[in-house]
Amino acid sequence: MVHQHRQGEGDLRELRKEVDLARILAHAKKKGVGIWLWAHWDAVDKHLEEVFANFQKWGVAGVKIDFMERDDQAMVDFYQRVAESAARHQLLLDFHGGYKPTGQSRTWPNVLTHESVMGMEYLKWSARTTATHNTVIPFTRMLAGPLDYTPGGMRNMRPADFVPQYEGPPVPHTRAHQLALYVIFESALQMLADDPAAYRGVKELPFLKAVPAAWDETRGLLGRPGRFAVVARRSGSDWYLGAITNGDERELEIPLDFLPAGGYSAQGGQTLTNPPRRTRAPNPSPDNPS
């Protein structure tokens, strides 16, 4: 598609010559993979029906719409028009760079998630998305509905050694912390935020493949904003339990008396007490995946 970062640029009815979108979509279909496209909201709004009709004809699965960044009456109307049009054209939606959810997905279940949170992308230019910050989100932003936080950072380092960088950004959290976010932070569309090469050969990959994005039951078990949070979610007969702390080491006794009577087996993730020190994380490559 036309690459557009600013309002007023680009036409989503045109294709970039250097991107063979038809071939990408055909290859993805053979692999059983749905392709989402990213777009600036203004480009979507200019030719909404024509653009979404094209996306449906091409076999696009969904659209990540970005840079709304306001919640006035005109923008709220845009959300409604986009959700309705996308549903008619069998497209899923992720409202990125916009206001928090307000229950719209109950009317339009094709609206899977919203950003509306200081998520992982902030680590490209700041150190604000800390472990402490993450323990606050379940008690604040998450009360409004699903959030597109984009977890999954595999280049982990101590907060004291963390240096923001735009290319190949590291994260000042442990891998166990990152995995737990897939359980604690609800989103019907979850992301693997890191470079694909960063996941090659890591022992956490089976969990990332298995963890659901939709749940049948949720239990908030323990927590204190800014200190820790523990959430359990059920998919079918399987329970997933996510626990994060603000960086302070702690032991918690987690109540599991909500589980039905019966026998259970458990698999857990663990993290090195002292993750490796690095002042700068290298960009991943096939020869250096992590």
Side-chain angles (χ1 to χ4, degrees), residues 181-230:
L181 297 181
Y182 286 94
V183 179
I184 295 175
F185 292 168
E186 179 191 1
S187 180
L189 176 69
Q190 287 284 17
M191 303 287 175
L192 296 178
D194 219 324
D195 187 282
Y199 299 100
R200 293 189 182 132
V202 299
K203 67 180 186 300
E204 294 82 6
L205 191 57
F207 173 84
L208 294 172
K209 289 180 177 179
V211 64
W215 305 95
D216 299 313
E217 185 177 353
T218 297
R219 300 270 184 161
L221 301 180
L222 294 171
R224 294 289 187 274
R227 294 176 60 194
F228 62 93
V230 183

CSV table of all heavy atoms in Angstrom, one decimal, residues 181-230:
chain,number,residue,atom,x,y,z
A,181,LEU,N,2.5,-11.2,30.5
A,181,LEU,CA,1.7,-10.2,30.0
A,181,LEU,C,0.6,-10.7,29.0
A,181,LEU,O,-0.4,-10.1,28.9
A,181,LEU,CB,2.5,-9.1,29.3
A,181,LEU,CG,3.5,-8.3,30.2
A,181,LEU,CD1,4.3,-7.3,29.3
A,181,LEU,CD2,2.8,-7.7,31.3
A,182,TYR,N,0.9,-11.8,28.3
A,182,TYR,CA,-0.1,-12.4,27.4
A,182,TYR,C,-1.3,-13.0,28.2
A,182,TYR,O,-2.4,-13.1,27.6
A,182,TYR,CB,0.6,-13.5,26.6
A,182,TYR,CG,1.5,-13.0,25.5
A,182,TYR,CD1,2.9,-12.9,25.8
A,182,TYR,CD2,1.0,-12.7,24.3
A,182,TYR,CE1,3.7,-12.4,24.8
A,182,TYR,CE2,1.9,-12.2,23.3
A,182,TYR,CZ,3.2,-12.1,23.6
A,182,TYR,OH,4.1,-11.6,22.6
A,183,VAL,N,-1.1,-13.2,29.4
A,183,VAL,CA,-2.2,-13.7,30.3
A,183,VAL,C,-2.9,-12.5,31.0
A,183,VAL,O,-4.1,-12.4,31.0
A,183,VAL,CB,-1.8,-14.7,31.3
A,183,VAL,CG1,-2.9,-15.2,32.2
A,183,VAL,CG2,-1.1,-15.9,30.6
A,184,ILE,N,-2.1,-11.6,31.5
A,184,ILE,CA,-2.6,-10.5,32.3
A,184,ILE,C,-3.3,-9.5,31.4
A,184,ILE,O,-4.4,-9.0,31.8
A,184,ILE,CB,-1.5,-9.9,33.1
A,184,ILE,CG1,-1.0,-10.9,34.2
A,184,ILE,CG2,-2.0,-8.6,33.8
A,184,ILE,CD1,0.2,-10.4,34.9
A,185,PHE,N,-2.7,-9.1,30.3
A,185,PHE,CA,-3.3,-8.1,29.4
A,185,PHE,C,-4.2,-8.7,28.4
A,185,PHE,O,-3.7,-9.5,27.5
A,185,PHE,CB,-2.2,-7.3,28.7
A,185,PHE,CG,-1.3,-6.4,29.6
A,185,PHE,CD1,-0.2,-5.9,29.2
A,185,PHE,CD2,-1.7,-6.2,30.9
A,185,PHE,CE1,0.6,-5.1,30.0
A,185,PHE,CE2,-0.9,-5.4,31.8
A,185,PHE,CZ,0.2,-4.8,31.3
A,186,GLU,N,-5.5,-8.4,28.5
A,186,GLU,CA,-6.4,-9.0,27.5
A,186,GLU,C,-6.4,-8.3,26.2
A,186,GLU,O,-6.4,-7.0,26.1
A,186,GLU,CB,-7.8,-8.9,28.1
A,186,GLU,CG,-8.9,-9.5,27.2
A,186,GLU,CD,-10.3,-9.1,27.6
A,186,GLU,OE1,-10.5,-8.4,28.7
A,186,GLU,OE2,-11.3,-9.6,27.0
A,187,SER,N,-6.3,-9.0,25.1
A,187,SER,CA,-6.5,-8.5,23.8
A,187,SER,C,-6.8,-9.7,22.8
A,187,SER,O,-6.1,-10.7,22.8
A,187,SER,CB,-5.2,-7.8,23.3
A,187,SER,OG,-5.3,-7.3,22.0
A,188,ALA,N,-7.9,-9.5,22.1
A,188,ALA,CA,-8.3,-10.6,21.2
A,188,ALA,C,-7.3,-10.7,20.0
A,188,ALA,O,-7.4,-11.6,19.2
A,188,ALA,CB,-9.7,-10.4,20.7
A,189,LEU,N,-6.5,-9.7,19.8
A,189,LEU,CA,-5.4,-9.7,18.8
A,189,LEU,C,-4.1,-9.5,19.6
A,189,LEU,O,-3.8,-8.3,20.0
A,189,LEU,CB,-5.6,-8.7,17.7
A,189,LEU,CG,-4.5,-8.6,16.7
A,189,LEU,CD1,-4.4,-9.8,15.8
A,189,LEU,CD2,-4.6,-7.3,15.8
A,190,GLN,N,-3.3,-10.5,19.8
A,190,GLN,CA,-2.0,-10.3,20.5
A,190,GLN,C,-0.9,-10.2,19.5
A,190,GLN,O,-1.0,-10.7,18.3
A,190,GLN,CB,-1.8,-11.5,21.4
A,190,GLN,CG,-2.6,-11.5,22.7
A,190,GLN,CD,-2.2,-10.4,23.7
A,190,GLN,OE1,-1.4,-9.5,23.4
A,190,GLN,NE2,-2.6,-10.6,24.9
A,191,MET,N,0.2,-9.6,19.9
A,191,MET,CA,1.3,-9.3,19.0
A,191,MET,C,2.6,-10.1,19.5
A,191,MET,O,2.7,-10.4,20.7
A,191,MET,CB,1.7,-7.8,19.0
A,191,MET,CG,0.5,-6.9,18.6
A,191,MET,SD,0.2,-7.0,16.8
A,191,MET,CE,-1.3,-6.0,16.7
A,192,LEU,N,3.4,-10.4,18.6
A,192,LEU,CA,4.8,-10.7,18.9
A,192,LEU,C,5.6,-9.5,18.4
A,192,LEU,O,6.0,-9.3,17.3
A,192,LEU,CB,5.3,-12.0,18.1
A,192,LEU,CG,4.5,-13.3,18.5
A,192,LEU,CD1,5.0,-14.4,17.7
A,192,LEU,CD2,4.7,-13.6,20.0
A,193,ALA,N,6.0,-8.6,19.4
A,193,ALA,CA,6.4,-7.3,19.1
A,193,ALA,C,7.9,-7.3,18.5
A,193,ALA,O,8.3,-6.3,17.9
A,193,ALA,CB,6.3,-6.4,20.3
A,194,ASP,N,8.6,-8.3,18.8
A,194,ASP,CA,10.0,-8.3,18.5
A,194,ASP,C,10.2,-8.7,17.0
A,194,ASP,O,9.3,-9.2,16.3
A,194,ASP,CB,10.8,-9.3,19.4
A,194,ASP,CG,12.2,-8.7,19.8
A,194,ASP,OD1,12.8,-8.0,18.9
A,194,ASP,OD2,12.6,-8.9,20.9
A,195,ASP,N,11.5,-8.6,16.5
A,195,ASP,CA,11.8,-9.1,15.2
A,195,ASP,C,11.7,-10.6,15.1
A,195,ASP,O,11.9,-11.3,16.1
A,195,ASP,CB,13.3,-8.7,14.9
A,195,ASP,CG,13.7,-9.0,13.5
A,195,ASP,OD1,14.0,-10.2,13.2
A,195,ASP,OD2,13.8,-8.0,12.7
A,196,PRO,N,11.2,-11.1,14.0
A,196,PRO,CA,11.0,-12.6,13.9
A,196,PRO,C,12.2,-13.4,14.2
A,196,PRO,O,12.1,-14.5,14.9
A,196,PRO,CB,10.6,-12.8,12.4
A,196,PRO,CG,9.9,-11.5,12.0
A,196,PRO,CD,10.7,-10.4,12.8
A,197,ALA,N,13.4,-12.9,13.9
A,197,ALA,CA,14.6,-13.6,14.2
A,197,ALA,C,14.9,-13.7,15.7
A,197,ALA,O,15.6,-14.7,16.1
A,197,ALA,CB,15.8,-12.9,13.5
A,198,ALA,N,14.3,-12.8,16.5
A,198,ALA,CA,14.5,-12.9,17.9
A,198,ALA,C,13.8,-14.1,18.6
A,198,ALA,O,14.1,-14.4,19.7
A,198,ALA,CB,14.0,-11.6,18.6
A,199,TYR,N,12.9,-14.7,17.9
A,199,TYR,CA,12.2,-15.9,18.5
A,199,TYR,C,12.7,-17.2,18.0
A,199,TYR,O,12.3,-18.2,18.5
A,199,TYR,CB,10.7,-15.8,18.0
A,199,TYR,CG,10.0,-14.5,18.5
A,199,TYR,CD1,9.8,-13.5,17.7
A,199,TYR,CD2,9.6,-14.4,19.8
A,199,TYR,CE1,9.2,-12.3,18.1
A,199,TYR,CE2,8.9,-13.3,20.3
A,199,TYR,CZ,8.7,-12.2,19.4
A,199,TYR,OH,8.1,-11.1,19.8
A,200,ARG,N,13.7,-17.2,17.1
A,200,ARG,CA,14.3,-18.5,16.7
A,200,ARG,C,15.0,-19.2,17.8
A,200,ARG,O,16.0,-18.6,18.3
A,200,ARG,CB,15.2,-18.2,15.5
A,200,ARG,CG,14.4,-17.7,14.2
A,200,ARG,CD,15.3,-17.7,13.0
A,200,ARG,NE,14.6,-17.2,11.8
A,200,ARG,CZ,15.1,-16.3,11.0
A,200,ARG,NH1,16.2,-15.8,11.2
A,200,ARG,NH2,14.3,-15.9,10.0
A,201,GLY,N,14.6,-20.4,18.1
A,201,GLY,CA,15.3,-21.2,19.0
A,201,GLY,C,15.1,-20.9,20.5
A,201,GLY,O,15.8,-21.5,21.3
A,202,VAL,N,14.3,-19.9,20.8
A,202,VAL,CA,14.1,-19.6,22.2
A,202,VAL,C,13.1,-20.6,22.9
A,202,VAL,O,12.2,-21.1,22.2
A,202,VAL,CB,13.5,-18.2,22.4
A,202,VAL,CG1,14.5,-17.2,21.9
A,202,VAL,CG2,12.2,-18.0,21.8
A,203,LYS,N,13.4,-20.9,24.1
A,203,LYS,CA,12.6,-22.0,24.8
A,203,LYS,C,11.2,-21.5,25.1
A,203,LYS,O,10.3,-22.3,25.4
A,203,LYS,CB,13.2,-22.4,26.1
A,203,LYS,CG,13.3,-21.4,27.2
A,203,LYS,CD,14.0,-21.9,28.4
A,203,LYS,CE,14.0,-21.0,29.6
A,203,LYS,NZ,14.6,-19.7,29.3
A,204,GLU,N,10.9,-20.2,25.0
A,204,GLU,CA,9.6,-19.6,25.2
A,204,GLU,C,8.7,-19.8,24.1
A,204,GLU,O,7.4,-19.5,24.2
A,204,GLU,CB,9.7,-18.1,25.6
A,204,GLU,CG,10.4,-17.9,26.9
A,204,GLU,CD,11.9,-17.9,26.8
A,204,GLU,OE1,12.5,-18.0,25.7
A,204,GLU,OE2,12.6,-17.8,27.9
A,205,LEU,N,9.2,-20.2,22.9
A,205,LEU,CA,8.3,-20.2,21.7
A,205,LEU,C,7.1,-21.1,21.8
A,205,LEU,O,6.0,-20.7,21.4
A,205,LEU,CB,9.2,-20.6,20.5
A,205,LEU,CG,8.5,-20.4,19.1
A,205,LEU,CD1,8.1,-18.9,18.9
A,205,LEU,CD2,9.5,-20.8,18.0
A,206,PRO,N,7.2,-22.3,22.4
A,206,PRO,CA,6.0,-23.2,22.5
A,206,PRO,C,4.9,-22.5,23.3
A,206,PRO,O,3.7,-22.6,22.9
A,206,PRO,CB,6.5,-24.4,23.3
A,206,PRO,CG,8.0,-24.5,22.9
A,206,PRO,CD,8.4,-23.0,22.8
A,207,PHE,N,5.2,-21.7,24.3
A,207,PHE,CA,4.2,-21.0,25.1
A,207,PHE,C,3.5,-19.9,24.2
A,207,PHE,O,2.3,-19.8,24.2
A,207,PHE,CB,4.8,-20.4,26.3
A,207,PHE,CG,3.8,-19.4,27.0
A,207,PHE,CD1,2.9,-20.0,27.9
A,207,PHE,CD2,3.8,-18.1,26.8
A,207,PHE,CE1,2.0,-19.1,28.6
A,207,PHE,CE2,2.9,-17.2,27.4
A,207,PHE,CZ,2.0,-17.8,28.3
A,208,LEU,N,4.4,-19.2,23.5
A,208,LEU,CA,3.8,-18.1,22.6
A,208,LEU,C,2.9,-18.7,21.5
A,208,LEU,O,2.0,-18.1,21.1
A,208,LEU,CB,5.0,-17.3,22.0
A,208,LEU,CG,5.8,-16.5,23.0
A,208,LEU,CD1,7.0,-15.9,22.3
A,208,LEU,CD2,5.0,-15.4,23.6
A,209,LYS,N,3.2,-19.9,21.1
A,209,LYS,CA,2.3,-20.6,20.1
A,209,LYS,C,1.0,-21.0,20.7
A,209,LYS,O,0.0,-21.0,20.0
A,209,LYS,CB,3.1,-21.8,19.5
A,209,LYS,CG,4.2,-21.4,18.6
A,209,LYS,CD,4.8,-22.7,18.0
A,209,LYS,CE,6.0,-22.4,17.0
A,209,LYS,NZ,6.6,-23.7,16.5
A,210,ALA,N,1.1,-21.4,22.0
A,210,ALA,CA,-0.1,-22.0,22.6
A,210,ALA,C,-1.0,-21.1,23.3
A,210,ALA,O,-2.2,-21.3,23.4
A,210,ALA,CB,0.4,-23.1,23.6
A,211,VAL,N,-0.5,-20.0,23.8
A,211,VAL,CA,-1.3,-19.1,24.7
A,211,VAL,C,-2.5,-18.5,23.9
A,211,VAL,O,-2.3,-18.0,22.8
A,211,VAL,CB,-0.5,-18.0,25.3
A,211,VAL,CG1,0.1,-17.0,24.3
A,211,VAL,CG2,-1.3,-17.2,26.4
A,212,PRO,N,-3.7,-18.6,24.4
A,212,PRO,CA,-4.9,-18.1,23.6
A,212,PRO,C,-4.9,-16.6,23.6
A,212,PRO,O,-4.3,-15.9,24.4
A,212,PRO,CB,-6.1,-18.7,24.4
A,212,PRO,CG,-5.5,-19.8,25.3
A,212,PRO,CD,-4.1,-19.4,25.6
A,213,ALA,N,-5.7,-16.1,22.7
A,213,ALA,CA,-6.0,-14.7,22.7
A,213,ALA,C,-7.5,-14.4,23.1
A,213,ALA,O,-7.9,-13.2,23.2
A,213,ALA,CB,-5.8,-14.1,21.3
A,214,ALA,N,-8.3,-15.4,23.3
A,214,ALA,CA,-9.6,-15.3,23.7
A,214,ALA,C,-9.8,-16.3,24.9
A,214,ALA,O,-9.3,-17.4,24.9
A,214,ALA,CB,-10.6,-15.6,22.6
A,215,TRP,N,-10.6,-15.9,25.9
A,215,TRP,CA,-10.8,-16.6,27.1
A,215,TRP,C,-12.2,-16.9,27.5
A,215,TRP,O,-13.1,-16.1,27.1
A,215,TRP,CB,-10.1,-15.8,28.2
A,215,TRP,CG,-8.7,-15.5,27.9
A,215,TRP,CD1,-8.2,-14.3,27.4
A,215,TRP,CD2,-7.5,-16.3,28.1
A,215,TRP,NE1,-6.8,-14.3,27.3
A,215,TRP,CE2,-6.4,-15.6,27.7
A,215,TRP,CE3,-7.3,-17.6,28.6
A,215,TRP,CZ2,-5.1,-16.1,27.7
A,215,TRP,CZ3,-6.0,-18.1,28.6
A,215,TRP,CH2,-4.9,-17.3,28.2
A,216,ASP,N,-12.4,-18.0,28.2
A,216,ASP,CA,-13.7,-18.4,28.7
A,216,ASP,C,-14.0,-17.9,30.1
A,216,ASP,O,-15.2,-17.7,30.5
A,216,ASP,CB,-13.9,-19.9,28.6
A,216,ASP,CG,-13.8,-20.4,27.2
A,216,ASP,OD1,-14.4,-19.9,26.3
A,216,ASP,OD2,-13.0,-21.4,27.0
A,217,GLU,N,-13.0,-17.6,30.9
A,217,GLU,CA,-13.2,-17.2,32.2
A,217,GLU,C,-11.9,-16.5,32.7
A,217,GLU,O,-10.8,-16.8,32.3
A,217,GLU,CB,-13.4,-18.4,33.1
A,217,GLU,CG,-13.8,-18.1,34.6
A,217,GLU,CD,-14.1,-19.4,35.4
A,217,GLU,OE1,-14.1,-20.5,34.8
A,217,GLU,OE2,-14.2,-19.3,36.6
A,218,THR,N,-12.1,-15.5,33.6
A,218,THR,CA,-11.0,-14.7,34.1
A,218,THR,C,-11.1,-14.6,35.6
A,218,THR,O,-12.2,-14.3,36.1
A,218,THR,CB,-10.9,-13.3,33.4
A,218,THR,OG1,-10.7,-13.5,32.0
A,218,THR,CG2,-9.8,-12.5,34.0
A,219,ARG,N,-10.0,-14.7,36.3
A,219,ARG,CA,-10.0,-14.5,37.8
A,219,ARG,C,-8.8,-13.6,38.1
A,219,ARG,O,-7.7,-13.9,37.8
A,219,ARG,CB,-9.8,-15.8,38.5
A,219,ARG,CG,-10.8,-16.9,38.2
A,219,ARG,CD,-12.0,-16.8,39.2
A,219,ARG,NE,-13.0,-17.8,39.0
A,219,ARG,CZ,-13.8,-18.2,39.9
A,219,ARG,NH1,-13.8,-17.6,41.1
A,219,ARG,NH2,-14.7,-19.1,39.7
A,220,GLY,N,-9.1,-12.5,38.8
A,220,GLY,CA,-8.1,-11.6,39.4
A,220,GLY,C,-7.8,-12.2,40.7
A,220,GLY,O,-8.6,-12.1,41.6
A,221,LEU,N,-6.6,-12.6,40.9
A,221,LEU,CA,-6.3,-13.4,42.1
A,221,LEU,C,-5.6,-12.5,43.2
A,221,LEU,O,-6.0,-12.5,44.4
A,221,LEU,CB,-5.4,-14.6,41.8
A,221,LEU,CG,-6.0,-15.6,40.8
A,221,LEU,CD1,-5.0,-16.7,40.6
A,221,LEU,CD2,-7.3,-16.1,41.3
A,222,LEU,N,-4.6,-11.8,42.8
A,222,LEU,CA,-3.8,-11.0,43.8
A,222,LEU,C,-3.3,-9.7,43.1
A,222,LEU,O,-3.1,-9.7,41.9
A,222,LEU,CB,-2.6,-11.7,44.4
A,222,LEU,CG,-2.8,-12.9,45.2
A,222,LEU,CD1,-1.5,-13.6,45.5
A,222,LEU,CD2,-3.5,-12.6,46.5
A,223,GLY,N,-3.0,-8.7,43.8
A,223,GLY,CA,-2.4,-7.5,43.2
A,223,GLY,C,-2.4,-6.3,44.1
A,223,GLY,O,-3.3,-6.1,44.9
A,224,ARG,N,-1.5,-5.4,43.8
A,224,ARG,CA,-1.4,-4.1,44.4
A,224,ARG,C,-0.8,-3.2,43.3
A,224,ARG,O,0.3,-3.5,42.8
A,224,ARG,CB,-0.5,-4.0,45.6
A,224,ARG,CG,-0.9,-4.8,46.8
A,224,ARG,CD,-2.1,-4.2,47.5
A,224,ARG,NE,-2.5,-4.9,48.7
A,224,ARG,CZ,-3.3,-5.9,48.8
A,224,ARG,NH1,-3.8,-6.4,47.6
A,224,ARG,NH2,-3.6,-6.5,49.9
A,225,PRO,N,-1.6,-2.1,42.9
A,225,PRO,CA,-1.1,-1.3,41.8
A,225,PRO,C,0.3,-0.7,42.1
A,225,PRO,O,0.6,-0.3,43.2
A,225,PRO,CB,-2.1,-0.1,41.8
A,225,PRO,CG,-3.3,-0.7,42.4
A,225,PRO,CD,-2.9,-1.7,43.4
A,226,GLY,N,1.2,-0.9,41.1
A,226,GLY,CA,2.6,-0.5,41.3
A,226,GLY,C,3.5,-1.5,42.0
A,226,GLY,O,4.7,-1.2,42.1
A,227,ARG,N,2.9,-2.6,42.4
A,227,ARG,CA,3.7,-3.6,43.1
A,227,ARG,C,3.7,-5.0,42.4
A,227,ARG,O,4.7,-5.5,42.0
A,227,ARG,CB,3.3,-3.7,44.6
A,227,ARG,CG,3.5,-2.5,45.4
A,227,ARG,CD,2.9,-2.6,46.8
A,227,ARG,NE,3.6,-3.7,47.5
A,227,ARG,CZ,3.1,-4.3,48.6
A,227,ARG,NH1,2.0,-3.8,49.2
A,227,ARG,NH2,3.7,-5.3,49.2
A,228,PHE,N,2.5,-5.5,42.2
A,228,PHE,CA,2.4,-6.8,41.6
A,228,PHE,C,1.0,-7.1,41.1
A,228,PHE,O,0.0,-6.4,41.6
A,228,PHE,CB,2.9,-8.0,42.5
A,228,PHE,CG,2.1,-8.1,43.8
A,228,PHE,CD1,1.0,-9.0,43.8
A,228,PHE,CD2,2.4,-7.4,44.9
A,228,PHE,CE1,0.2,-9.1,45.0
A,228,PHE,CE2,1.6,-7.5,46.1
A,228,PHE,CZ,0.6,-8.4,46.1
A,229,ALA,N,0.8,-8.0,40.2
A,229,ALA,CA,-0.5,-8.4,39.7
A,229,ALA,C,-0.5,-9.9,39.3
A,229,ALA,O,0.5,-10.4,38.7
A,229,ALA,CB,-0.9,-7.6,38.5
A,230,VAL,N,-1.5,-10.6,39.7
A,230,VAL,CA,-1.7,-12.0,39.4
A,230,VAL,C,-3.1,-12.3,38.8
A,230,VAL,O,-4.1,-12.0,39.5
A,230,VAL,CB,-1.5,-12.9,40.6
A,230,VAL,CG1,-1.5,-14.4,40.2
A,230,VAL,CG2,-0.1,-12.6,41.3
